[in-house]
Each structure stands twice: as structure tokens, then as C-alpha cells.
């Protein structure tokens, strides 16, 4: 490989902020009411309608949403919660921060929880399972729901990456007893930072709304629960409102970009498996390649930013005390996963540039 001058720079992600989003925020600034109020409730109602759920509870980030979810289910000291060994670290961290124990399960070729591995991890101390739809690719909810019901466990869906996806005709972020998502700046729908919980359970809705607001119920300064300040600001909600109104158009744009990628990359890499009943929202475009680290370096030299999503939790220093257990599928796929640039403003010409580089790399490493 020879050094070449960088022809262009392509970031991994760019938020889909448009002029109408800015104008919507300006209206809130002009109103004089900035914190949680009618704009936040309007945003919640838009997501309730989109997901066909009874309740949406807005918070200030996706990790806060997970924290509220675990607190709603009284997960605490000694409780075990099964999580995928390949996921963003917040999924497991929030269990430990609530004094529970995350129990890692292997994944399958979708990069999501392997239901058989989940069932093998259940113990008398198990209280819940947290499912993640990695990159927007839905997990096997048919079997995860069956297993959690069989063992009387709560199914929590960490849908931080899967807003816009669906499984068996039901939108992701709605398959669990309580579900969460994130509106981080890299997400398909962003409020820069923000998160939300979704549930059809009236009691969980009541508890979640209290916990996000210092445990306060409908009565001002009356605190029935131990809570925190997880409120979403109206300014933040205003960023998301117009995006949810154009969300299907955004997904269609990403679908078009994905089709170009897949056509160009045919024979050069593999992709995670998508289940027959699943519709992937493609928050991430994940490819599976040999000599992945070399490709990352090669693309970076040519101005293309990428992400390795995600290193296994057992390989994180903070989880170094979790023993010598092996996870064959995850450990194999961890060496191959690579997330390429994908965002609404990505130019088709940039995709061809990226794919040309991958083709060149593949030819040079043979």
C-alpha cells in the first residue's frame, strides 16, 4: 500500500438538523419557557402515535431512560439482569449502578441476544433481560418474549439504536414491558442529547414520570419515589418534533443509501443476518470483514471515519473481574464488525468513494 494524499474527508455521522428544526427551537426560546413543558409533552405524544404505545416518557438522555426503567421494575441489590455481551457499555453499566449484576449472554449472527444463550443464563436471581437491537437490526423477539414469559422475567428493550425498525409488524421500542431509546447526536432522530421510555403499563408510566422529576407526583413538592432530575427540556424536544414528522422520509433516504452500499460491496464483505420477520432501520451500516483493523487504518488514511461497534463487554477494563467465560459467536464477530459512514446528508458519490477504497484494499491484501 502506498501513501496517497487525502482526496476528501467523510465523517462517520452528521446530525440531520434542518432549518425547520432551528426555527422550532427559536420559537421555544421566544416563548420564555425552556424546561419541561408543553413542547416536551407534544414530542411524547408524537412518539406515542408513531410507535402505537400508550405512554412515552421523555428524559434527558438514553442512559437516564435505562436507569428509570430499572428503577420502575425495582431492580437492585443482588438482582441479575441478562444483557448481550456485545452492546454499548451503558446497557450493562446501568445494571451495576443500580446494584444489580449484569449477566452476559452470547449473540447470534444478527449481533443480538441468542435466545438459547439467554435461557442458559437464567438463575433464581434473574429478574430481567435487556435486549438490544444492535445497529437497528431487530432481535428475535418471538423467542425472547416466549422465554421471559416462561420464566416470569421482565423484558426490557434498550432501543437506543432501533427507532424506525420493526419485528413481526410491531415497531421496535415497543416489545418489552418497558422500552427505551436515545436521541443522541448520531442517532437517526436526534435532539442532540435526549432519551425516552415507552410502555403500555399505566402503573409504570406513573412511576417513570415521577422518577424523572425527583420522584414528584402530580402534587407539587410531594415526592413519593426516590428520583432524580432526568427531565427533558422543551428546547431539546423542539429539535426532535419536526424530525419525527419527517421520519419516514429520513428512513427512506437511508434505505436508498444502504441499497447503494450493498450493491457496491457485494462479494467484498458480509453483513449481519436480518431475521425474516425483521425490518432493519440501519442506524448503523455494519459490515463484517477479515483484517478489519487494517481496513480501518486504510480508510482513515484516505479520509473516511469509521467505528468499531462494539467491543465486547468482557474486554472492557471495568468488567475485567467477570471471569474467563467464553462467548464463541461474539468473540468471532467482534474481530470483524465495522460501521461505515451513514447519515441523511451523505452523498452517493461519497459512498462510491468508500466502496472503491474497500475494493482497492481487498485487492491489495489478497
Amino acid at each position: 500500500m502506498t501513501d496517497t494524499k487525502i482526496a476528501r474527508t467523510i465523517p462517520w455521522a452528521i446530525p440531520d438538523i434542518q432549518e425547520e428544526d432551528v426555527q422550532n427551537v427559536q420559537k421555544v426560546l421566544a416563548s420564555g419557557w425552556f424546561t419541561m413543558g408543553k413542547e416536551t409533552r407534544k414530542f411524547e405524544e408524537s412518539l406515542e402515535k408513531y410507535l402505537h404505545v400508550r405512554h412515552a416518557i421523555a428524559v434527558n438522555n438514553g442512559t437516564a431512560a435505562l436507569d428509570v426503567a430499572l428503577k420502575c421494575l425495582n431492580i437492585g441489590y443482588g438482582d441479575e439482569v441478562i444483557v448481550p455481551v456485545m452492546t454499548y457499555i451503558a446497557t450493562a453499566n446501568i445494571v451495576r449502578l443500580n446494584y444489580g449484576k449484569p449477566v452476559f449472554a452470547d449473540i447470534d449472527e444478527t449481533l443480538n441476544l441468542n435466545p438459547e444463550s439467554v435461557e442458559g443464563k437464567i438463575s433464581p436471581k434473574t429478574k430481567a433481560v435487556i435486549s438490544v437491537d444492535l445497529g437497528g437490526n431487530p432481535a428475535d423477539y418471538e423467542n425472547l418474549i416466549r422465554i421471559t414469559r416462561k420464566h416470569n422475567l421482565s423484558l426490557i428493550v434498550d432501543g437506543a439504536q432501533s427507532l424506525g425498525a420493526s419485528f413481526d409488524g410491531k415497531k421496535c421500542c415497543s416489545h418489552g414491558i418497558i422500552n427505551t431509546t436515545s436521541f443522541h447526536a448520531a442517532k437517526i432522530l436526534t435532539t442532540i442529547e435526549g432519551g425516552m421510555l415507552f410502555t403500555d403499563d399505566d402503573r409504570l408510566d406513573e412511576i417513570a414520570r415521577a422518577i424523572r422529576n425527583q420522584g414528584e407526583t402530580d402534587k407539587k413538592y410531594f415526592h413519593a419515589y426516590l428520583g432524580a432530575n432526568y427531565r427533558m427540556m422543551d428546547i431539546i424536544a423542539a429539535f426532535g418534533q419536526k424530525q419525527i414528522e419527517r421520519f419516514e422520509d429520513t428512513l427512506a433516504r437511508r434505505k436508498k443509501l444502504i441499497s447503494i452500499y450493498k450493491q457496491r460491496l457485494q462479494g467484498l464483505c458480509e453483513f449481519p443476518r436480518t431475521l425474516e420477520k425483521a425490518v432493519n432501520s440501519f442506524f448503523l451500516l455494519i459490515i463484517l470483514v477479515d483484517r478489519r483493523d487494517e481496513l480501518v487504518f486504510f480508510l482513515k488514511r484516505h479520509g473516511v471515519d469509521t467505528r468499531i461497534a462494539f467491543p465486547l463487554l468482557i474486554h472492557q477494563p471495568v468488567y475485567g473481574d467477570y471471569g474467563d467465560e467464553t462467548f464463541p459467536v461474539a468473540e468471532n464477530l467482534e474481530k470483524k464488525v465495522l460501521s461505515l459512514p451513514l447519515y441523511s446528508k451523505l452523498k452517493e458519490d461519497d459512498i462510491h468513494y468508500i466502496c472503491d477504497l474497500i475494493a482497492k484494499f481487498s485487492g491489495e491484501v489478497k
Side-chain angles (χ1 to χ4, degrees):
M1 300 179 191
T2 59
D3 289 332
T4 58
K5 185 178 180 180
I6 295 178
R8 66 183 85 182
T9 300
I10 304 175
W12 177 69
I14 296 177
D16 185 27
I17 301 299
Q18 298 185 14
E19 181 59 30
E20 65 177 354
D21 305 319
V22 176
Q23 292 176 358
N24 210 36
V25 172
Q26 289 174 337
K27 289 179 182 178
V28 174
L29 290 171
S31 74
W33 185 277
F34 309 141
T35 188
M36 187 173 70
K38 65 179 182 179
E39 290 297 326
T40 299
R41 184 59 196 137
K42 181 180 178 181
F43 189 41
E44 290 173 337
E45 289 172 346
S46 294
L47 269 295
E48 289 168 354
K49 182 178 179 180
Y50 177 76
L51 291 175
H52 305 291
V53 294
R54 286 178 56 83
H55 306 292
I57 306 98
V59 292
N60 53 8
N61 61 65
T63 305
L66 282 171
D67 190 33
V68 173
L70 266 63
K71 285 176 167 56
C72 283
L73 297 174
N74 293 312
I75 291 172
Y77 289 99
D79 292 331
E80 294 182 355
V81 179
I82 298 171
V83 302
V85 72
M86 179 185 283
T87 182
Y88 183 58
I89 199 167
T91 312
N93 281 355
I94 205 64
V95 178
R96 293 186 79 172
L97 288 168
N98 279 279
Y99 305 101
K101 179 183 178 181
V103 175
F104 302 138
D106 206 354
I107 60 173
D108 57 24
E109 291 78 9
T110 67
L111 305 184
N112 298 315
L113 277 174
N114 181 331
E116 291 184 6
S117 181
V118 169
E119 194 150 30
K121 300 289 182 175
I122 295 172
S123 80
K125 295 182 179 180
T126 306
K127 194 165 184 178
V129 174
I130 302 181
S131 175
V132 177
D133 307 309
L134 198 74
N137 190 24
D140 184 356
Y141 286 109
E142 182 175 3
N143 283 304
L144 290 174
I145 291 171
R146 175 184 59 80
I147 290 167
T148 51
R149 286 178 177 172
K150 174 183 174 182
H151 296 276
N152 195 30
L153 304 174
S154 295
L155 177 61
I156 304 168
V157 174
D158 177 356
Q161 304 172 42
S162 56
L163 195 64
S166 63
F167 182 85
D168 198 18
K170 184 178 175 67
K171 291 187 183 295
C172 289
C173 301
S174 66
H175 290 89
I177 182 66
I178 196 164
N179 313 265
T180 69
T181 198
S182 165
F183 303 122
H184 176 266
K187 298 296 164 51
I188 302 176
L189 193 160
T190 179
T191 58
I192 312 304
E193 285 287 1
M196 199 169 283
L197 299 96
F198 310 105
T199 184
D200 288 323
D201 188 296
D202 295 345
R203 178 61 174 163
L204 291 178
D205 170 63
E206 177 187 335
I207 298 170
R209 292 187 187 280
I211 290 174
R212 72 162 174 191
N213 190 28
Q214 301 287 11
E216 185 178 276
T217 57
D218 291 339
K219 184 178 179 181
K220 190 67 175 175
Y221 302 132
F222 183 81
H223 304 267
Y225 303 93
L226 186 63
N229 179 5
Y230 287 154
R231 297 185 295 268
M232 176 179 278
M233 296 186 297
D234 271 14
I235 296 173
I236 297 302
F239 260 119
Q241 181 58 42
K242 292 297 181 180
Q243 289 179 63
I244 191 62
E245 292 173 12
R246 64 174 188 266
F247 194 52
E248 289 301 325
D249 291 337
T250 302
L251 293 174
R253 168 64 179 165
R254 295 174 78 92
K255 184 177 180 180
K256 181 179 180 181
L257 298 177
I258 288 293
S259 67
I260 298 171
Y261 262 125
K262 287 197 168 185
Q263 182 179 8
R264 285 297 317 275
L265 292 175
Q266 189 173 3
L268 298 175
C269 65
E270 296 179 342
F271 298 91
R273 181 167 66 97
T274 298
L275 298 173
E276 184 178 350
K277 296 181 179 181
V279 176
N280 192 335
S281 65
F282 287 103
F283 160 59
L284 301 178
L285 171 59
I286 297 175
I287 63 172
L288 305 173
V289 289
D290 295 324
R291 307 176 84 165
R292 188 268 319 278
D293 293 344
E294 294 177 43
L295 177 58
V296 169
F297 180 70
F298 180 78
L299 291 173
K300 185 175 182 179
R301 282 175 47 220
H302 290 81
V304 179
D305 193 18
T306 59
R307 293 289 187 276
I308 297 173
F310 295 93
L312 300 192
L313 294 175
I314 56 170
H315 296 158
Q316 299 286 0
V318 71
Y319 290 103
D321 59 346
Y322 264 61
D324 301 322
E325 188 175 3
T326 59
F327 301 85
V329 177
E331 289 177 59
N332 175 50
L333 294 176
E334 181 194 30
K335 304 170 187 175
K336 300 180 177 184
V337 293
L338 181 63
S339 177
L340 299 178
L342 181 64
Y343 43 92
S344 295
K345 297 175 183 177
L346 182 65
K347 298 176 182 178
E348 294 179 19
D349 182 61
D350 286 337
I351 295 178
H352 290 297
Y353 174 75
I354 294 167
C355 294
D356 286 343
L357 287 173
I358 295 173
K360 181 180 179 182
F361 173 85
S362 299
E364 290 185 1
V365 299
K366 288 180 179 177

